[in-house]
Amino acid sequence: MANRPTRTRGLTLQHQQQQSRARWTTPLTEILVNLMVDQVHKGNRKNHNFGKKAWKYMCDEFHKRTGLKWDKEQLKNRGAVLRRIYVTVTSLLDQSDFSWDESTGAIVASDEVWAEYVREHPDAETLKVSGCPIYKELCTIFSEPPTNGKHDHPAEHEGGDPNSCPPEQEVSSSDSEEANDAVNDQETIQPSTPSTTGIRKRGRKGIDDAIAGAILEMAAASKLRTAATQQHNARYTIANCIAELDKMQGVDEQVYFAALDLFNKPIAREVFLSLKGEKRLIWLLRKCTSDPVL
């Protein structure tokens, strides 16, 4: 009986430690990023930070979408990692030799420029390989004023607006604490030591590892989406439509050539190839013989 309170406290501590090590995957990160972007668009970010109501909404909505009841601190820790990614990528893009390709998420530069930069900043090797597919969203979340993705990176860094602060200065003391706490989400909690210098070094390494891991996860997801899109497009090609059209009976010359024009539309190609049997011919006749005015 005397051991029961100790055991209960031990279980509680174990549960808290498990909660502090939330495992973030690419889909979970994307859900959080989309929630943060939505709150920015609704005007719920003030002085570079989200208020209590915004975080409560994001926690509740994150739970609805994922089934994971993670608290505000866990989401804020991930947000701190995302902020560090934004600062790192923006600092890189401030150099004229680098650019960001929105369609692929790649950070583009010549091999010589990358080699020189990586020699001075070894951590950038991950960005060279994987890029940053969500940089557009990160600009919306963390830039001031928000770019809403209208530029490759915030305009104030290009035009030198004297009233704006560079990303490094935007990170407040509370943000620095969030960045240090984010290490606990990615790695085992480090024991405290008397040396504050050692703690900062371990914290920096953990943050860099978290950034690298997040970038690799998002790059992998981006590649999967690209591959799925390419596979989808390869199925619904004009050539496949023409091949199926040639097999059909009861298609006169007028409808045939009208169908060729119709196949210039991706949606029409997908509908045509998805329909089977007589339904395909009925749909085609309706599309190719109906009066455009109607």
Side-chain angles (χ1 to χ4, degrees):
M1 296 294 293
N3 293 332
R4 183 173 298 172
T6 303
R7 182 180 180 185
T8 301
R9 286 195 298 270
L11 291 174
T12 302
L13 178 60
Q14 182 181 7
H15 176 72
Q16 291 174 347
Q17 290 176 342
Q18 290 174 347
Q19 286 294 313
S20 69
R21 301 191 193 103
R23 301 300 179 183
W24 286 92
T25 63
T26 298
L28 293 178
T29 298
E30 290 179 345
I31 290 172
L32 176 60
V33 167
N34 290 334
L35 289 174
M36 296 173 78
V37 169
D38 178 62
Q39 289 301 298
V40 171
H41 288 160
K42 291 180 177 178
N44 294 332
R45 186 190 66 150
K46 305 295 183 182
N47 299 323
H48 316 302
N49 294 299
F50 296 105
K52 292 182 180 179
K53 291 183 179 180
W55 280 116
K56 183 182 185 305
Y57 173 84
M58 287 190 282
C59 287
D60 293 342
E61 193 65 23
F62 188 86
H63 180 215
K64 291 179 183 178
R65 298 186 188 186
T66 67
L68 298 171
K69 199 169 183 58
W70 289 352
D71 58 31
K72 179 180 72 173
E73 291 305 315
Q74 289 171 303
L75 300 192
K76 288 179 69 175
N77 287 343
R78 191 58 169 181
V81 172
L82 293 171
R83 180 189 286 274
R84 292 299 298 268
I85 295 175
Y86 163 74
V87 171
T88 301
V89 176
T90 299
S91 176
L92 183 64
L93 295 179
D94 278 341
Q95 305 187 46
S96 59
D97 293 327
F98 292 91
S99 62
W100 181 68
D101 186 340
E102 182 176 344
S103 62
T104 64
I107 299 176
V108 182
S110 66
D111 292 339
E112 293 77 10
V113 170
W114 265 118
E116 181 179 353
Y117 189 84
V118 170
R119 276 197 300 269
E120 298 179 2
H121 307 84
D123 294 339
E125 182 70 31
T126 302
L127 291 173
K128 175 185 177 183
V129 174
S130 304
C132 184
I134 61 167
Y135 183 61
K136 177 179 178 180
E137 288 77 10
L138 296 184
C139 287
T140 300
I141 298 167
F142 298 116
S143 63
E144 185 65 32
T147 63
N148 296 330
K150 294 180 180 179
H151 305 287
D152 285 350
H153 57 287
E156 58 265 29
H157 303 309
E158 295 178 356
D161 184 352
N163 296 322
S164 62
C165 297
E168 290 80 357
Q169 296 177 1
E170 290 182 0
V171 182
S172 63
S173 59
S174 61
D175 294 328
S176 298
E177 293 173 359
E178 292 175 2
N180 290 331
D181 291 340
V183 181
N184 296 334
D185 285 354
Q186 302 295 330
E187 300 183 348
T188 303
I189 300 175
Q190 297 285 349
S192 60
T193 68
S195 171
T196 57
T197 302
I199 293 174
R200 285 196 298 268
K201 288 182 178 179
R202 285 196 299 274
R204 174 65 185 176
K205 181 181 183 300
I207 293 170
D208 290 342
D209 290 344
I211 292 173
I215 292 174
L216 287 174
E217 290 173 359
M218 289 180 284
S222 178
K223 290 179 180 179
L224 288 175
R225 285 194 297 269
T226 300
T229 300
Q230 291 174 345
Q231 183 178 3
H232 180 274
N233 292 339
R235 178 182 176 185
Y236 300 109
T237 63
I238 293 178
N240 288 343
C241 289
I242 293 176
E244 291 298 320
L245 182 63
D246 289 338
K247 297 176 184 178
M248 295 174 61
Q249 302 293 326
V251 179
D252 59 33
E253 186 176 284
Q254 181 180 355
V255 172
Y256 185 94
F257 288 105
L260 297 183
D261 293 333
L262 183 64
F263 293 157
N264 286 321
K265 301 178 180 179
I267 295 178
R269 294 198 300 270
E270 183 173 349
V271 172
F272 176 77
L273 291 176
S274 299
L275 293 173
K276 303 298 181 183
E278 295 182 357
K279 292 182 179 180
R280 179 181 289 177
L281 179 59
I282 294 172
W283 176 84
L284 187 64
L285 292 173
R286 180 180 177 184
K287 285 291 183 181
C288 295
T289 60
S290 60
D291 187 346
V293 176
L294 300 176

